Amino acid sequence: MNRKLTVSRMWTKRGIQQYFSLLQLSKEFWDFEIDAHILIDDWSYSDDWTIEIEKLNNPHREGFPMSVTLYTKEDLKNWYHEKNYIDKDLFDSLKGFLHIYHLLLYFYLYIEKGVDYLISYDDDVVFNRRISGDLNEIDGLIVNKTPFIIEEENFPISDKSMMVKLSKYFNRDLTSDYYKNNIRGTGANAGFMGIETSSIFSSYKDNFTGLISLFNFKSPKLKSIDEPYHYSDEILFNTQEQSFLSIMLHCFSTKEIFKLGGELGYFFDTPIQESVNKSKLIHFTGDRKYDPIFPKMVIDFLKSHGHNNITPDWFYY
């Protein structure tokens, strides 16, 4: 039986929050071999928690081994250049939309490492042990390599921004395929998602610049005075990556997508205190991570695993 869990995402740095994320993963999925591939945005930061992260790269972890591979953007740029997918100048021009680096890492893992299934895992996701001691539903999804999303029932626009561009790319309207597999039209969040990589990337292996061309790299906040900025523009811009992933999975996955929603105890887009009271998994996106509940949950977890001297002023973003 397959007991391997591959997780991947770009994280900000190597600090207390990122250490927590890896330790939490190790404890929750203790009976899986864990293979973490993390792109670090800011390598200039280093402290005691950086050293603790290195210790988690442990082939002798209890139960099953855990490996943690950290990448720089330069690592990816060199690989894309060597493989003739995109040149270095084009790679450098992508920085206007940071979420594109998630996709660059996933494509690298798909092509170079043969990873056919992974879970995206943001460093501001918390497994809420007040509600559930384990995530049994997700265990089964991993073993069977089943693509899954956690629904955003109150924010359906969160995965729709790329529908027109993807329909044009494939020269057919993808709307019917998408809604056939998502009849309620709920949104999807890319911060914790089960991804069948071949469904996402097989169409772009011979035309990766075509994938890049789908995205907008100029933030709407940078529009001129003649182009008024609207909040809806920012939403559509910021959700490009998760819209791309969600639409590609809904339209091209070889397996039925499993939906984790309220009936199973997953509430991704509810107010923070409501999530704390009823959701098995909490995503502290955007400004939500500045709520004092987030560092408290992180520090409480770390204290429960032997880091007893932590105080709230140790926490930083």
Side-chain angles (χ1 to χ4, degrees), residues 8-39:
S8 185
R9 202 70 174 154
M10 182 175 76
W11 291 355
T12 51
K13 54 192 173 191
R14 299 166 296 158
I16 186 173
Q17 181 177 326
Q18 293 71 37
Y19 173 71
F20 157 78
S21 296
L22 288 169
L23 184 63
Q24 171 184 243
L25 188 77
S26 174
K27 298 303 181 181
E28 175 61 41
F29 298 102
W30 64 271
D31 54 348
F32 282 83
E33 176 187 351
I34 295 176
D35 190 17
H37 295 265
I38 306 298
L39 174 64

Side-chain angles (χ1 to χ4, degrees), residues 16 49 295 299 303 307-316:
I16 186 173
W49 295 106
I299 291 170
K303 285 185 174 180
H307 299 280
N308 298 314
N309 296 323
I310 303 174
T311 59
D313 59 326
W314 281 35
F315 199 86
Y316 49 82

Side-chain angles (χ1 to χ4, degrees), residues 52 65 110 136 243 269 295:
E52 293 299 317
Y110 170 61
N136 288 332
S243 175
D269 53 355

Side-chain angles (χ1 to χ4, degrees), residues 12-268:
T12 51
K13 54 192 173 191
R14 299 166 296 158
I16 186 173
Q17 181 177 326
Q18 293 71 37
Y19 173 71
F20 157 78
S21 296
L22 288 169
L23 184 63
Q24 171 184 243
L25 188 77
S26 174
K27 298 303 181 181
E28 175 61 41
F29 298 102
W30 64 271
D31 54 348
F32 282 83
E33 176 187 351
I34 295 176
D35 190 17
H37 295 265
I38 306 298
L39 174 64
I40 300 298
D41 186 25
D42 179 10
W43 275 83
S44 66
Y45 193 93
S46 179
D47 65 5
D48 291 345
W49 295 106
T50 309
I51 298 172
E52 293 299 317
I53 288 173
E54 294 170 357
K55 294 178 182 178
L56 290 175
N57 195 8
N58 183 6
H60 304 295
R61 162 178 164 256
E62 68 273 19
F64 292 79
M66 178 174 184
S67 63
V68 180
T69 305
L70 303 180
Y71 300 85
T72 68
K73 290 178 182 175
E74 197 69 21
D75 293 332
L76 287 186
K77 179 164 70 173
N78 290 335
W79 182 83
Y80 274 91
H81 178 70
E82 292 168 2
K83 298 296 183 180
N84 295 314
Y85 283 115
I86 51 178
D87 62 34
K88 292 185 177 182
D89 289 338
L90 178 56
F91 189 99
D92 289 338
S93 73
L94 306 180
K95 60 186 178 182
F97 178 59
L98 285 178
H99 294 296
I100 195 67
Y101 294 110
H102 301 310
L103 298 180
L104 293 173
L105 182 58
Y106 301 164
F107 184 78
Y108 161 81
L109 294 174
Y110 170 61
I111 296 294
E112 184 69 17
K113 302 296 185 181
V115 173
D116 58 359
Y117 180 84
L118 62 84
I119 291 182
S120 62
Y121 181 50
D122 272 344
D123 60 6
D124 50 12
V125 166
V126 174
F127 304 146
N128 189 3
R129 292 186 172 272
R130 288 179 55 179
I131 302 302
S132 177
D134 51 55
L135 304 174
N136 288 332
E137 304 91 352
I138 294 174
D139 288 359
L141 297 172
I142 296 168
V143 168
N144 292 292
K145 296 185 176 182
T146 302
F148 68 83
I149 64 167
I150 297 182
E151 295 178 310
E152 292 196 335
E153 298 187 24
N154 299 321
F155 194 33
I157 196 176
S158 69
D159 70 341
K160 308 298 189 297
S161 63
M162 299 292 283
M163 186 69 75
V164 173
K165 288 184 177 181
L166 283 168
S167 292
K168 288 182 178 178
Y169 182 87
F170 289 103
N171 200 30
R172 64 185 179 89
D173 187 358
L174 297 179
T175 308
S176 60
D177 287 342
Y178 173 86
Y179 280 99
K180 180 174 65 178
N181 295 310
N182 186 14
I183 191 131
R184 295 194 300 134
T186 54
N189 188 289
F192 195 81
M193 177 185 286
I195 299 171
E196 185 182 58
T197 55
S198 60
S199 300
I200 304 294
F201 296 117
S202 61
S203 299
Y204 305 99
K205 287 196 298 184
D206 299 322
N207 183 27
F208 194 75
T209 54
L211 183 153
I212 296 298
S213 69
L214 295 170
F215 292 84
N216 178 14
F217 295 93
K218 182 179 180 181
S219 169
K221 290 183 176 180
L222 301 178
K223 287 185 175 182
S224 69
I225 194 170
D226 298 322
E227 297 180 274
Y229 162 73
H230 298 288
Y231 178 64
S232 59
D233 295 333
E234 183 180 3
I235 292 174
L236 294 175
F237 178 80
N238 289 337
T239 58
Q240 289 179 101
E241 176 245 353
Q242 68 184 26
S243 175
F244 173 81
L245 290 171
S246 177
I247 293 171
M248 291 297 297
L249 282 176
H250 279 100
C251 295
F252 298 103
S253 175
T254 63
K255 297 180 180 179
E256 184 177 355
I257 298 175
F258 194 88
K259 308 293 177 64
L260 294 167
E263 70 282 356
L264 291 173
Y266 294 86
F267 301 89
F268 240 29

